[in-house]
Amino acid sequence: MTAIRVRRRRAGRVPVRRILWPVPLILVLVVAAHHRPVLAEGFGRLATARWPWLTAALGVTCLTWVAAAVTRQGALVERLPAGRLLATQFAAGAANHLLPTGLGASAVNLRFMTVCGVSLPRSSAALALYLLAESVARVGLLLALLLAFPRALRPGPLLPDGTSTPLLVTAVVTACAAVAVVVLVRRPRTAVLRFVRTALGEARAIHGRPTRVLALWGGSFAFPALQAGVLAAVGLALGLDIPVAHMALAYLAATVAVALVPTPGGLGSVEAALVVALVAAGGPVAEATAVVLAFRIVTVWLPLLPGALTLGVLVRLKVI
């Protein structure tokens, strides 16, 4: 009788994954409907592009997911299944544009590592190491290009008007509040110290393996460099009269400037900062706007639907 009751209960339950897997697709449709005018104008710009350069931009965009997968593997001692890791990065890109400040990609990758048998503390440490390496690489590339081309950008704000001061104040207040909580409250302090010890141990283990070091730092530098290459290819496709190195510098400066803007995938803030940066690099406003719209179509909107479908399939198959 007990076995029969258990079977009846299981038969009556609806698996949560069967309900959740279409959610990313629904969110994509909602976001796309909200940005319908931008999508229409962006695809209109792509129709006038030079197809060889546009094809190159699409190819380089695909390489960014490979770079992300290599970096993720480099941040962890254990070997992850390569195919599922690459599919997860593609799906994480979609999740990243549906949730603010990179939470989507972080949640997908954290879940993937734990499903692969890595403990939650070590998965979190690997995630933190990835984010740190990618940030250091992005800022390092920006500084290197600024030194190489000191006059490439005309001085000016890279954030939308009226946002710089509130963002700075918010960042300072948030940082001070976090430090105060860690210093004054015992439980968060204990948790933070435990996490720091775990993260330092993982970092030492990673940097004791040359292959992991190469994957971590090579991928970290390759990812923003490839993204900057996509912008340059789109600029060439639309005839933007700016040197390629200056377009790359504009991309890095804009993305570093908007790193603290809490919008899903930087939607809105990234576009504004990129337009300002390209104008600062010497591009006309109209052409810079067209390039940015086409760039976001290539890197965000075209992969968004298949990425959401991949995310749903990975949830259904219990990969994440």
Side-chain angles (χ1 to χ4, degrees):
M1 290 295 292
T2 303
I4 294 175
R5 288 177 182 175
V6 171
R7 283 197 295 268
R8 286 177 178 175
R9 288 176 183 175
R10 289 178 179 175
R13 290 178 182 174
V14 178
V16 176
R17 292 177 181 273
R18 196 174 291 177
I19 299 174
L20 288 181
W21 79 267
V23 171
L25 179 59
I26 295 171
L27 290 176
V28 167
L29 296 176
V30 171
V31 173
H34 181 68
H35 293 85
R36 188 169 59 253
V38 175
L39 288 172
E41 187 172 355
F43 278 108
R45 299 293 184 181
L46 287 180
T48 65
R50 301 171 186 171
W51 282 99
W53 285 115
L54 187 58
T55 302
L58 292 170
V60 176
T61 299
C62 295
L63 291 178
T64 60
W65 301 315
V66 177
V70 170
T71 312
R72 299 284 182 185
Q73 177 61 84
L76 193 66
V77 174
E78 289 88 344
R79 180 175 293 277
L80 299 170
R84 282 182 283 171
L85 176 60
L86 182 58
T88 301
Q89 301 319 300
F90 184 51
N96 207 40
H97 296 296
L98 299 176
L99 294 173
T101 60
L103 292 178
S106 298
V108 168
N109 280 284
L110 194 64
R111 176 63 182 169
F112 173 66
M113 286 185 283
T114 55
V115 168
C116 289
V118 183
S119 66
L120 183 58
R122 295 188 59 241
S123 297
S124 302
L127 180 62
L129 182 59
Y130 168 87
L131 294 174
L132 176 62
E134 203 275 335
S135 300
V136 170
R138 189 177 294 269
V139 174
L141 287 174
L142 173 61
L143 294 177
L145 285 177
L146 284 173
L147 289 174
F149 306 98
R151 298 183 180 179
L153 296 180
R154 293 194 297 268
L158 291 179
L159 289 172
D161 293 338
T163 61
S164 301
T165 300
L167 285 175
L168 180 60
V169 171
T170 301
V172 171
V173 171
T174 302
C176 291
V179 171
V181 169
V182 171
V183 171
L184 299 176
V185 184
R186 181 178 179 181
R187 183 172 295 179
R189 182 171 66 248
T190 302
V192 168
L193 291 176
R194 186 183 300 116
F195 174 78
V196 169
R197 284 194 294 269
T198 302
L200 290 176
E202 289 296 307
R204 283 194 296 268
I206 290 297
H207 287 84
R209 301 189 175 203
T211 55
R212 292 294 187 266
V213 173
L214 180 61
L216 175 64
W217 291 102
S220 295
F221 278 96
F223 184 75
L226 288 169
Q227 287 188 318
V230 176
L231 179 64
V234 172
L236 292 171
L238 293 178
L240 183 62
D241 189 19
I242 299 177
V244 169
H246 295 192
M247 283 191 273
L249 178 56
Y251 167 80
L252 292 169
T255 52
V256 169
V258 300
L260 296 177
V261 178
T263 58
L267 294 176
S269 57
V270 170
E271 286 89 341
L274 280 172
V275 170
V276 173
L278 288 175
V279 171
V285 176
E287 292 181 13
T289 302
V291 168
V292 170
L293 287 173
F295 169 73
R296 294 295 272 178
I297 290 290
V298 170
T299 58
V300 176
W301 294 106
L302 284 179
L304 194 55
L305 181 58
L309 290 172
T310 302
L311 179 59
V313 170
L314 292 177
V315 170
R316 182 71 182 271
L317 296 178
K318 299 183 180 181
V319 174
I320 56 176

